[in-house]
Amino acid sequence: MTLALDLILIVLVLTVAVGTLVSRDTRSAVIAFIGLGLLLGLAWVRLSSVDVALTEVAIGGGATGILLLRACASVGSANPRRERPGTAVHVLAALFCAAVSIAIGMAVLAMPEPPGTLAPRVAEHMSASGLGNPVTVVLLVYRAFDTLLEKVVVVLSLIGVWSLATDSSWGGAPADLKQGIADGPLVLLARLLPPVGIVLGIYLVWNGADEPGGTFQGGAVLAGMWLLVQMARLRPMPQTGSLTVRRLIAVGPVSFVLVGLSGFFIADSFLAYPAGFAKPIIVAVEIALTISIAVIIGLLVAGPAARAPK
């Protein structure tokens, strides 16, 4: 029975992936891409990688899918009669993708059997951190500096999006996510789902210390609830020049850096935690990072400022 379900999942993943590639309609391809993200999430669950599954569904399928839908709408409205790429471009893209796929496949097949792993050493010292989730231990204890740089990159990506705004709209609000008057079902969902989504997002962050979950997963859920409210036009878009917005964006990375610098005085080095206090410090950092990630994801999807600042 399990083998049959796995085979069905593999067929569905391959079918939707091919459908995404061969679709001639951009919007349909993006929707298929979102569906592919959900199926890949199920595949990661089958591989017992729940943390990766949550990230794939929230970021790979959800947030990225909405971002691509926004890009489709913007490109289509800007140039509705644009020329489609010719056959040569499609062939070159297919050859490039095939070469990358073959290279990845060869790299996977060339891995030693059994593959090298540091999991036993992580598990041996995990109790010293007070955390129960090995993924969180790796991200915020053993590879904390990499995680810090990832958050900085996310902030830089938002700055890149904002840089697309015109001089006259710099510091203003992005365009509405939904043009015209929002319809009834969307407004109803935007009123009912956010309370549940906020609780779920907080749970994912809090649970991430000991079980699957974490900042990106929780932040993506919170951002999704905010975007739903924006799509229903229940709240106005924030001003990108607002000091409050910019503080929320910076609170996570700045808190992380301050904790890292304090390691020089209360522990042995940068991003080191004092014995017995690692878990509360890491949870506090994760809460601050979640706020920043939720705001950044939401504003990335909203796009650059499109109206003059008030």
Side-chain angles (χ1 to χ4, degrees), residues 134-252:
V135 175
T136 304
V137 173
V138 171
L139 293 177
L140 289 169
V141 177
Y142 294 106
R143 301 193 62 179
F145 189 67
D146 290 340
T147 305
L148 172 60
L149 292 180
E150 289 173 0
K151 309 312 178 197
V152 173
V153 169
V154 174
V155 175
L156 293 177
S157 67
L158 179 62
I159 295 174
V161 170
W162 280 3
S163 68
L164 300 176
T166 61
D167 291 343
S168 59
S169 60
W170 179 257
D176 289 333
L177 292 178
K178 182 176 179 59
Q179 303 298 326
I181 300 175
D183 45 17
L186 180 59
V187 174
L188 178 62
L189 289 175
R191 293 185 186 278
L192 292 178
L193 290 182
V196 179
I198 291 172
V199 173
L200 176 61
I202 295 173
Y203 171 77
L204 286 173
V205 177
W206 184 257
N207 195 52
D210 297 310
E211 300 291 341
T215 56
F216 262 110
Q217 296 90 336
V221 172
L222 295 176
M225 295 302 103
W226 179 77
L227 289 169
L228 183 60
V229 171
Q230 292 298 327
M231 292 173 67
R233 303 183 72 178
L234 296 181
R235 298 286 298 173
M237 276 286 183
Q239 301 285 309
T240 56
S242 166
L243 190 57
T244 300
V245 170
R246 298 190 177 192
R247 283 173 176 170
L248 292 176
I249 292 170
V251 65

